[in-house]
Amino acid sequence: MNQFNLILQDYANWKMDNVEIIERFRHNDSIIYDRLEPVYAVLNHVYDHALEEELSEDLKTIFQVGLNYLHNQFEVIKVYYEKLFDSDCDLFEAYAPLVGYLLFISDFRADLEEYEDLIDFDPLDEVETMLENMIAERDDRFEYAANKLNQTTKKIVDQLDFDYVGVIDIYVEIAENLGIDLSTDEPFIVGEDI
């Protein structure tokens, strides 16, 4: 069995382990599902094609990167969903905007890791701690949290010499190029409302 076939098997196993939660999120129109849908849809599409034909190296890379991303994000989501919200989908969904902001921070920080020496991440750390506390305390001041996060990320992005494009936005574009219909086509743009 070649290396890529093992990656395909990893995805099949991951999906079996998590499909119940994913489908529950999808059925409840969860903003967390909306956030992950572009990556999940692309992975499903590429997986189905891989069963029928040899994939290009580009599609293999897209699949592998997407699987790593989805796996890492879902591990964080499950900690909040299962531990903090006791697998109560309605309660989780009530605070999903805050969880989504934390997921964004994780993406943002990972995407800008190579600029670590050039950027002061302390304000982002403070916002992350604030969001974690808000979730723990069941604080629902979502607009306040979104404004703090937007202000902080805008200051960081303004220090960069390029436009920041996140992983989710990239997979929205990939889905579009592959002809995959998504339930949401709205990309996240730093500095816009989250």
Side-chain angles (χ1 to χ4, degrees):
M1 184 177 275
N2 72 31
Q3 182 69 27
F4 190 71
N5 285 342
L6 292 173
I7 294 169
L8 291 171
Q9 186 61 46
D10 284 348
Y11 178 64
N13 291 336
W14 180 90
K15 193 171 174 182
M16 281 191 321
D17 292 344
N18 296 295
V19 72
E20 184 180 320
I21 295 172
I22 291 170
E23 287 304 311
R24 192 173 305 146
F25 288 167
R26 186 182 65 76
H27 178 72
N28 288 334
D29 294 324
S30 170
I31 64 171
I32 297 298
Y33 178 81
D34 289 346
R35 175 180 174 68
L36 298 177
E37 181 191 23
V39 180
Y40 186 59
V42 167
L43 289 178
N44 284 332
H45 179 84
V46 173
Y47 180 84
D48 290 345
H49 279 6
L51 298 177
E52 299 169 7
E53 61 194 50
E54 182 66 25
L55 298 176
S56 69
E57 288 304 314
D58 286 346
L59 283 178
K60 287 179 181 180
T61 300
I62 287 168
F63 188 85
Q64 189 166 3
V65 168
L67 178 56
N68 290 339
Y69 175 81
L70 195 61
H71 176 75
N72 292 337
Q73 291 279 289
F74 216 72
E75 288 307 305
V76 173
I77 292 165
K78 282 172 57 174
V79 166
Y80 283 98
Y81 178 69
E82 293 173 350
K83 305 277 189 268
L84 213 55
F85 294 104
D86 205 24
S87 298
D88 181 332
C89 202
D90 292 332
L91 184 59
F92 176 81
E93 193 56 34
Y95 294 91
L98 299 176
V99 175
Y101 301 159
L102 286 172
L103 294 173
F104 171 77
I105 288 173
S106 172
D107 288 356
F108 189 66
R109 190 184 310 275
D111 290 345
L112 300 178
E113 198 170 39
E114 64 188 79
Y115 301 97
E116 207 167 15
D117 297 338
L118 305 173
I119 297 173
D120 177 14
F121 281 110
D122 289 345
L124 193 63
D125 295 340
E126 291 170 15
V127 171
E128 187 172 31
T129 300
M130 177 196 76
L131 292 170
E132 290 168 346
N133 290 338
M134 289 177 75
I135 291 170
E137 296 165 6
R138 304 296 196 261
D139 184 339
D140 62 2
R141 294 177 296 148
F142 303 131
E143 190 173 330
Y144 170 77
N147 288 336
K148 290 291 277 187
L149 179 56
N150 277 324
Q151 290 167 4
T152 303
T153 54
K154 184 172 179 353
K155 285 178 186 171
I156 291 172
V157 168
D158 287 347
Q159 297 173 43
L160 301 174
D161 231 3
F162 61 89
D163 290 332
Y164 171 75
V165 180
V167 172
I168 298 296
D169 296 324
I170 292 168
Y171 275 81
V172 166
E173 190 173 316
I174 292 169
E176 186 178 290
N177 289 334
L178 293 174
I180 301 168
D181 289 328
L182 301 174
S183 62
T184 180
D185 293 327
E186 298 178 23
F188 173 81
I189 301 169
V190 175
E192 300 289 324
D193 290 336
I194 294 180

